[in-house]
Structure formats: C-alpha cells, structure tokens
C-alpha cells in the first residue's frame, strides 16, 4: 500500500506531466497556423461545443451507442463460442488453433472493406466491423476463464441441481466474470480505436464521419476536439462503470 506521502508524490507527478504536455502543446502551436496545429484553447473550446451543440452531441452519442452495442455483441458471441468449446471439447483445437489465429491475423481494413461490400453504408456495417475486430480479445478471456473453472466445484454444483441454466447463472458465470470484465475493458478500449476507422468507411454519422468532414475542410481543431471527446467518454465510462465492475469481480474476490 502507498503511504499518504507517496500517494501525493505520485499524484503530483501524474498531474504535473499533464501540465507539461499542455504547456509543450501551447508553445509548439502558438506560432503555427490553426489548420496545422491548433492551440489547446481552441481544441478544448471546440470540444466544449459537444456539450451544447445538438448536431455534435448527436454524432458523439451515435458513436458511443455503436461502440457499446459492438462490445456487448462481441462479449456475448465470445461467451457462446467458449461454452460450446467447453461442452464439446472436440472443438477446442478448431477454436484455439484455427478460429483465433484467423481473427487475430485478419486485417482490420479487410473487415471494413468487406462490410461495405456486403452491407453497404449503414449502422450495421460499422457495428459488424467493430465486432469482428474485438471478438478475439473477448474470446481469449472467455476461454481462459472457462479453463480456470474448478472441476470439483462444477461437479459439486451439478450434484446440487440438474438445471443447466441454474448451474450457469449461479456458478459458471460468476466464476468467469473476472475474465469477462477484463476482456470487456480491453474490447471497449480497442472498439473506440477502430470506431473511427469503421465510421470513415461505412457511416453517414458519428465521430468518424466528423473526422472525415474535418479532413475535407482541413479543420485540425475539429480533429483534436473529436479525439479529446473520445478520451473523455472513454475515461468517464472506465472510471464509473468498468473499473468498479473489475473491482467487484476481481479474481481475488472470486476466489
């Protein structure tokens, strides 16, 4: 455990680093054209418009909903594949040696191009791209969580109930939750990284669409503002939702 003094020093270093970065940004940009490098004031001012401009708020909300839905779908799909692998061990080789290798190595841009060809320009296109890219990260954690289940504990659960649904909800799912949450946090971060690429390829709305418009207009201020909004949304969600979930379902507590 950190002492109070160590905690204060650690916080001072962290916050001081942020101040130094902002100062360096300001010094570098103050004599540069705005279309190349906007000042921090201009970028943060543009970011604040996302809190009161209905059009900008709509684009941010759409991207957030797409990311959230993609993460949920990828997690559910990974859980289904993992449970099938556990129920039918003969599938383990195919899933871990073939399916995961395929998804981990398939180019992200390839999914984006194929999605546009298959589904045209739509919300489904964007969500499909994100799900395909983050699915292996969720699947790895699900498989590891199921592998760590105590066979004796599962067997004892089977002796207490014949309901597979009850066994899954009361025993298997709680024991795998630490791994599910870990995969969820990783997938959520990666989903935001690929969200803009997927929206650039196949969406008429969202933050990726705004970035494309900013590129056309050479509006570097809007580019910085969109990126800062993503950092803010991610930070808020991680701090108030994902981290508390991770603490609640930590491996130590699960044990």
């Amino acid at each position: 455990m950190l002492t109070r003094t160590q905690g204060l020093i650690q916080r001072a270093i962290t916050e001081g680093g942020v101040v130094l970065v902002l100062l360096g940004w300001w010094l570098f940009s103050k004599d540069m054209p705005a279309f190349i490098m906007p000042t921090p004031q201009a970028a943060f001012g543009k970011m604040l418009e996302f809190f009161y401009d209905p059009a900008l708020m709509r684009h941010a909300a759409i991207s957030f909903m797409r990311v959230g839905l993609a993460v949920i779908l990828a997690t559910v799909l990974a859980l289904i594949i993992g449970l099938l692998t556990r129920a039918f061990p003969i599938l383990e080789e195919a899933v871990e040696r073939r399916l995961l290798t395929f998804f981990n190595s398939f180019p992200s841009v390839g999914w984006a191009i194929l999605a546009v060809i298959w589904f045209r320009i739509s919300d489904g296109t964007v969500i499909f791209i994100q799900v395909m890219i983050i699915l292996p990260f969720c699947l790895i954690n699900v498989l590891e969580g199921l592998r760590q289940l105590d066979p004796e504990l599962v067997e004892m659960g089977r002796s207490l109930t014949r309901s597979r649904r009850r066994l899954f909800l009361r025993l298997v799912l709680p024991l795998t939750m630490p791994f599910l949450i870990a995969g969820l946090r990783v997938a959520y971060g990666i989903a935001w990284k690929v969200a803009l690429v997927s929206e650039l390829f196949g969406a008429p709305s969202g933050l990726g669409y705004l970035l494309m418009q900013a590129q056309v207009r050479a509006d570097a201020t809007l580019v910085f503002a969109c990126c800062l909004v993503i950092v803010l949304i991610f930070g808020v969600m991680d701090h108030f939702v994902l981290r508390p979930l991770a603490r609640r379902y930590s491996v130590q507590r699960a044990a």
Side-chain angles (χ1 to χ4, degrees):
M1 295 292 290
L2 291 175
T3 64
R4 183 179 178 85
T5 302
Q6 288 175 325
L8 290 174
I9 293 174
Q10 187 180 65
R11 189 172 184 84
I13 292 173
T14 303
E15 303 303 334
V18 175
V19 172
L20 288 176
V21 169
L22 291 175
L23 180 60
W25 180 5
W26 177 77
L27 290 173
F28 180 74
S29 62
K30 65 185 182 71
D31 296 323
M32 298 283 287
F35 68 90
I36 295 178
M37 177 62 71
T39 62
Q41 304 95 300
F44 282 102
K46 189 66 177 180
M47 184 190 74
L48 290 177
E49 292 184 22
F50 281 85
F51 292 93
Y52 60 82
D53 188 317
L56 295 178
M57 289 175 63
R58 174 178 169 272
H59 286 292
I62 288 173
S63 290
F64 176 75
M65 288 187 291
R66 286 172 180 158
V67 167
L69 183 57
V71 170
I72 292 172
L73 289 175
T75 302
V76 172
L77 186 57
L79 187 58
I80 292 172
I81 296 173
L83 291 174
L84 286 174
T85 304
R86 180 175 176 81
F88 304 99
I90 196 173
L91 297 175
E92 184 175 342
E93 180 79 9
V95 171
E96 296 198 14
R97 297 289 182 87
R98 297 294 182 267
L99 190 64
L100 272 177
T101 300
F102 173 78
F103 278 116
N104 278 325
S105 59
F106 199 92
S108 302
V109 176
W111 287 123
I113 296 173
L114 288 174
V116 173
I117 294 173
W118 292 342
F119 309 116
R120 305 300 179 185
I121 305 298
S122 65
D123 288 332
T125 300
V126 177
I127 294 172
F128 173 83
I129 296 169
Q130 294 179 18
V131 170
M132 290 298 101
I133 294 174
I134 66 177
L135 177 59
F137 301 95
C138 297
L139 184 55
I140 289 171
N141 281 274
V142 168
L143 293 174
E144 185 61 29
L146 294 173
R147 191 179 292 115
Q148 295 297 323
L149 289 176
D150 187 343
E152 295 183 0
L153 190 60
V154 175
E155 187 61 33
M156 183 178 68
R158 288 198 183 101
S159 67
L160 296 175
T161 179
R162 294 184 179 274
S163 172
R164 292 186 178 183
R165 176 177 173 273
R166 188 179 181 86
L167 181 67
F168 172 73
L169 293 176
R170 295 298 182 87
L171 184 63
V172 175
L173 185 59
L175 289 176
T176 56
M177 279 302 290
F179 298 90
L180 284 175
I181 297 301
L184 190 68
R185 293 187 70 187
V186 173
Y188 179 68
I190 295 174
W192 272 113
K193 292 180 181 296
V194 303
L196 302 185
V197 176
S198 59
E199 288 176 347
L200 282 171
F201 272 89
S205 59
L207 294 174
Y209 173 78
L210 286 182
L211 285 178
M212 183 171 61
Q213 297 299 309
Q215 179 187 10
V216 172
R217 301 195 301 264
D219 189 351
T221 303
L222 181 57
V223 173
F224 273 91
C226 289
C227 295
L228 290 172
V229 166
I230 291 174
V231 172
L232 179 62
I233 294 175
F234 175 85
V236 170
M237 187 71 177
D238 186 64
H239 181 77
F240 291 103
V241 178
L242 298 180
R243 284 188 185 180
L245 281 175
R247 287 194 295 267
R248 179 177 179 182
Y249 293 105
S250 65
V251 175
Q252 291 79 7
R253 290 194 59 174

